């Protein structure tokens, strides 16, 4: 398997623009997670899905952030409008039900100018 | 105060040294403890996974959990330059859904 695939790997945008990050989880995995990583705060859970249904979005910082999982093989994280403080590396991860290991993608590095 | 505290380092050691990495936590509900390794510009990957207190060994790596002290450790024996990475501790009350991560310790193993 190719692992968790994220795109784009790098995104540079200007404040106020819409940003869409994409994720393809490992085939057969039941859970999908979106994390944000910064130097100051480390890895923070934003939202997670089980069987395409959002279970906990308490980590989503503001209404500017939204996430969807229209099917088992695709998820998006959208920021609209983006702000400089959203600059971070965003990771998608997936896992099988009953298994503890999270498999992470390589991340999308977002810079908002 | 953060729920999970981890010294950010950087920690620099010579090749072959024994490395000790540590995390402290405040939430007594944490039952599952993990160590992830993250190479530069990559996603974290699971290194060790333990439940409750005790030790677990896997090759050159040993994970220890002391719930009474709310303290976990990762030991790396015979450290290699390929061990140079950031090590993240992670923990949760149950299963693998709401993991709380430390901020990571950057390790450099020098020749």
């Amino acid at each position: 398997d190719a692992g968790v695939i994220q795109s784009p790997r790098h995104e540079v945008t200007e404040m106020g623009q819409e940003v869409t990050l994409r994720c393809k989880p490992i085939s057969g995995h039941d859970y999908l997670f979106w994390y944000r990583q910064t130097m100051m705060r480390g890895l923070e859970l934003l939202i997670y899905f089980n069987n395409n249904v959002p279970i906990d979005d308490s980590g989503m910082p503001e209404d500017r952030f939204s996430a969807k999982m229209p099917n088992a093989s695709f998820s998006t994280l959208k920021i609209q409008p983006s702000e400089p403080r959203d600059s971070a590396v965003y990771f998608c991860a997936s896992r099988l039900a009953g298994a503890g290991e999270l498999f992470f993608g390589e991340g999308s590095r977002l810079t908002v100018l | 105060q953060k729920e999970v505290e981890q010294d950010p380092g950087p920690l620099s050691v010579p090749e072959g040294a024994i490395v000790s990495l540590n995390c402290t936590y405040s939430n007594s509900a944490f039952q599952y403890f993990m160590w992830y390794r993250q190479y530069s510009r990559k996603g974290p990957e699971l290194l060790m996974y333990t439940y409750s207190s005790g030790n677990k060994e896997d090759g050159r790596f040993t994970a220890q959990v002391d719930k009474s002290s709310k303290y976990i450790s990762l030991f790396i024996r015979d450290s290699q330059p390929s061990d140079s990475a950031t090590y993240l501790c992670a923990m949760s009350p149950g299963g693998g859904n709401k993991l709380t991560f430390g901020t990571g310790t950057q390790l450099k193993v020098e020749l």
Side-chain angles (χ1 to χ4, degrees), chain A residues 4 6 9 21-23 32-38 42-47 77 88-94 103-109, chain B residues 38-39 41-44 88:
Chain A
V4 176
Q6 292 187 245
R9 292 294 313 278
L21 307 177
R22 298 172 178 79
C23 175
L32 183 139
F33 302 79
W34 283 101
Y35 281 87
R36 177 172 67 177
Q37 186 176 40
T38 59
L43 266 171
E44 300 175 288
L45 177 63
L46 299 177
I47 184 171
L77 178 67
V89 182
Y90 291 81
F91 286 101
C92 177
S94 68
F103 291 84
F104 285 82
E106 296 203 326
S108 293
R109 183 173 296 270
Chain B
Q38 185 175 20
Y39 290 113
R41 307 275 174 166
K42 298 290 187 182
L88 303 158

Side-chain angles (χ1 to χ4, degrees), chain B residues 5 50 78:
Chain B
E5 298 278 359
T50 55
D78 187 24

Side-chain angles (χ1 to χ4, degrees), chain A residues 60-72:
Chain A
M60 297 286 260
E62 298 170 36
D63 291 346
R64 298 184 296 106
F65 286 70
S66 62
K68 292 182 180 179
M69 192 165 184
N71 58 62

